[in-house]
Amino acid sequence: EVQLVESGGGLVQPGRSLKLSCAASGFTFSNYGMHWIRQAPTKGLEWVASISPSGGSTYYRDSVKGRFTISRDNAKSTLYLQMDSLRSEDTATYYCATDVNYGGPLDYWGQGVMVTVSS
Amino acid sequence: DIVLTQSPVLAVSLGQRATISCRASQSVSISSINLMHWYQQKPGQQPKLLIYRASNLASGIPARFSGSGSGTDFTLTIDPVQADDIAAYYCQQSRESPNTFGAGTKLELK
């Protein structure tokens, strides 16, 4: 059974940093592209970043470029999102999701982790 | 960025057919492969993949869900609607980066 468990969320002040983790199990992690998607309270889904199975390619939405870094440790089956210079508009539930074709659908999603950016 | 447009709300009666549309600002198809996908999200839960590449049913999804369309116009159909289907439905394109989602359609009971 595929399991994705996010952690690392919480309340942080504007301008500070936070690092999210997504622990994967139940599938061969190193074969899958991975994504972070976020959802602000009462809003829709917004793609944030993606990374190829090897970690060699990464993509970001414009609003987080230069502030967020997606990475992965295939030996630990874990995906990361380093978030720096956080802004109030980054407040959201952050989901990690698998993408077996890396460019296809988001097959499985974690339960999400809440990030609140506020002073 | 490719913009996906969905109607915000659709009201249906139980047992009837629900048709949810998604229109893209440009084609999301490559060589007859339609890179449009559909997700269901219930309150307090993570999204779940329903349909991939426009018309393929994801694993474990009931056959009352179906998808169609190509190019810029896509449809998710639920027939017949059951009480458990009351949720928000999102389309998503993976034709080009950034991946984008529609704003979602909330399926409500009439």
Side-chain angles (χ1 to χ4, degrees):
Chain A
E1 179 194 3
V2 172
Q3 284 204 341
L4 299 168
V5 179
E6 300 96 336
S7 61
L11 173 63
V12 61
Q13 293 179 327
R16 304 298 291 264
S17 300
L18 208 58
K19 186 172 185 177
L20 305 183
S21 299
C22 169
S25 62
F27 64 103
T28 305
F29 182 72
S30 58
N31 288 349
Y32 281 64
M34 297 293 296
H35 298 251
W36 287 100
I37 301 96
R38 66 186 180 186
Q39 186 171 35
T42 73
K43 300 296 184 183
L45 300 169
E46 182 175 80
W47 175 82
V48 174
S50 68
I51 188 166
S52 62
S54 68
S57 296
T58 58
Y59 296 90
Y60 300 90
R61 68 177 303 102
D62 283 349
S63 61
V64 308
K65 275 182 191 172
R67 301 189 299 123
F68 289 13
T69 303
I70 187 172
S71 63
R72 64 191 297 160
D73 185 335
N74 285 345
K76 294 182 178 180
S77 296
T78 303
L79 174 73
Y80 303 100
L81 185 68
Q82 175 68 45
M83 304 186 292
D84 299 325
S85 303
L86 282 162
R87 306 168 180 168
S88 58
E89 55 264 37
D90 297 319
T91 294
T93 296
Y94 284 73
Y95 298 99
C96 62
T98 66
D99 179 356
V100 66
N101 292 307
Y102 194 48
L106 304 173
D107 316 279
Y108 297 97
W109 297 60
Q111 85 288 349
V113 62
M114 185 67 199
V115 172
T116 303
V117 184
S118 175
S119 54
Chain B
D1 297 2
I2 297 177
V3 176
L4 303 181
T5 302
Q6 297 182 245
S7 297
V9 177
L10 178 64
V12 294
S13 302
L14 293 178
Q16 298 302 303
R17 173 184 297 176
T19 302
I20 297 171
S21 64
C22 177
R23 174 164 288 178
S25 59
Q26 62 191 75
S27 177
V28 299
S29 304
I30 303 176
S31 301
S32 79
I33 300 173
N34 300 297
L35 296 172
M36 180 67 79
H37 322 293
W38 291 94
Y39 303 85
Q40 176 194 66
Q41 187 179 32
K42 297 179 181 178
Q45 296 186 17
Q46 70 269 49
K48 178 169 66 175
L49 177 65
L50 294 178
I51 301 286
Y52 62 95
R53 289 184 225 113
S55 59
N56 298 278
L57 202 62
S59 176
I61 302 302
R64 65 179 182 274
F65 291 90
S66 63
S68 62
S70 64
T72 60
D73 290 294
F74 296 87
T75 300
L76 171 70
T77 300
I78 311 170
D79 189 12
V81 170
Q82 297 186 1
D84 188 51
D85 301 333
I86 300 306
Y89 293 86
Y90 294 90
C91 55
Q92 177 237 344
Q93 65 82 22
S94 59
R95 169 63 177 83
E96 64 179 44
S97 186
N99 282 231
T100 47
F101 289 88
T105 297
K106 284 191 178 178
L107 190 64
E108 298 181 346
L109 286 179
K110 194 179 287 185

